[in-house]
Amino acid sequence: MASTWKRDFASGLIVITPLLVTVIVLLWLYNRLEGIPLPIEPAPLRVVLTIVVFVLLVFAVGYLMRTAVGSILEDAIDDLMNQLPGLRVVYNASKMAAETALSGTDELQAPVKLEVWDGMRMTAFLTGKTTEDGRDVLFLPTAPNITTGFVVEVEPERYTEVDERVEDALTRILSAGFGESDEKSIQVDVEDVVSEVGESDGGEGDAD
């Protein structure tokens, strides 16, 4: 009985905590945007106009990056930031995180199990690239930070493809191995129900 209550409480926290964090972040962002000194009233209209201007700015910069001028400008900014001690670490880390969150995982193909030594396996992802000598290029992310990892070149027989979605594999890595797919959760719940039913039947049998 205690294990059931613990499981229900943990399941509730898993659902409620992300919602609370999202609401807190949105409220914090709204309060910051509301405090922008613009001669626009009321405050909600000022927030909406600020968001619209920001979105238009993002699209404008994105369009500029598709041109030759944009590439030159981006390289100039990267060179400038990399010359600043301390700030270059924050700049490169945030840029890598943004690239991974927005487009990096879309390039990952099917997850695979890579056997390294003594039967130990690690989760890696096919990149769709191959080397000149016929080896497949895999991305081996670290846990729980998937923005870092290793690019390894292995022979096709060294890894095993698994019937798993990229999202499920990334969830397991981001949760440091504690995450599980919905199918596993359902299986665990069914096993708990069967176990409880068995204990109930056993108890009645002893009473008889």
Side-chain angles (χ1 to χ4, degrees), residues 153-184:
E153 303 173 359
V154 299
E155 298 176 353
E157 60 270 14
R158 289 294 304 274
Y159 64 83
T160 304
E161 296 188 16
V162 294
D163 186 14
E164 186 179 28
R165 298 184 304 172
V166 173
E167 293 79 7
D168 293 336
L170 289 176
T171 299
R172 184 175 63 254
I173 296 173
L174 284 169
S175 63
F178 292 97
E180 59 183 3
S181 62
D182 296 338
E183 291 79 4
K184 291 183 179 180

Side-chain angles (χ1 to χ4, degrees), residues 66-196:
R66 291 192 298 169
T67 64
V69 176
S71 300
I72 296 175
L73 181 61
E74 183 180 10
D75 293 337
I77 295 175
D78 291 341
D79 293 338
L80 176 62
M81 296 303 298
N82 286 325
Q83 293 177 2
L84 301 177
L87 292 180
R88 62 184 180 185
V89 177
V90 178
Y91 175 79
N92 291 325
S94 59
K95 185 175 182 179
M96 182 181 299
E99 290 176 350
T100 303
L102 296 176
S103 61
T105 56
D106 293 339
E107 299 176 357
L108 298 178
Q109 297 184 6
V112 297
K113 295 295 184 180
L114 176 62
E115 184 171 345
V116 286
W117 62 82
D118 294 338
M120 186 176 70
R121 300 190 306 178
M122 303 183 71
T123 300
F125 297 89
L126 293 173
T127 63
K129 309 294 183 180
T130 56
T131 60
E132 295 181 355
D133 58 354
R135 299 190 180 192
D136 292 334
V137 179
L138 308 180
F139 174 64
L140 183 64
T142 56
N145 182 13
I146 62 173
T147 61
T148 62
F150 305 93
V151 177
V152 294
E153 303 173 359
V154 299
E155 298 176 353
E157 60 270 14
R158 289 294 304 274
Y159 64 83
T160 304
E161 296 188 16
V162 294
D163 186 14
E164 186 179 28
R165 298 184 304 172
V166 173
E167 293 79 7
D168 293 336
L170 289 176
T171 299
R172 184 175 63 254
I173 296 173
L174 284 169
S175 63
F178 292 97
E180 59 183 3
S181 62
D182 296 338
E183 291 79 4
K184 291 183 179 180
S185 300
I186 295 175
Q187 182 179 0
V188 171
D189 292 339
V190 172
E191 291 177 353
D192 291 341
V193 172
V194 172
S195 178
E196 292 178 1

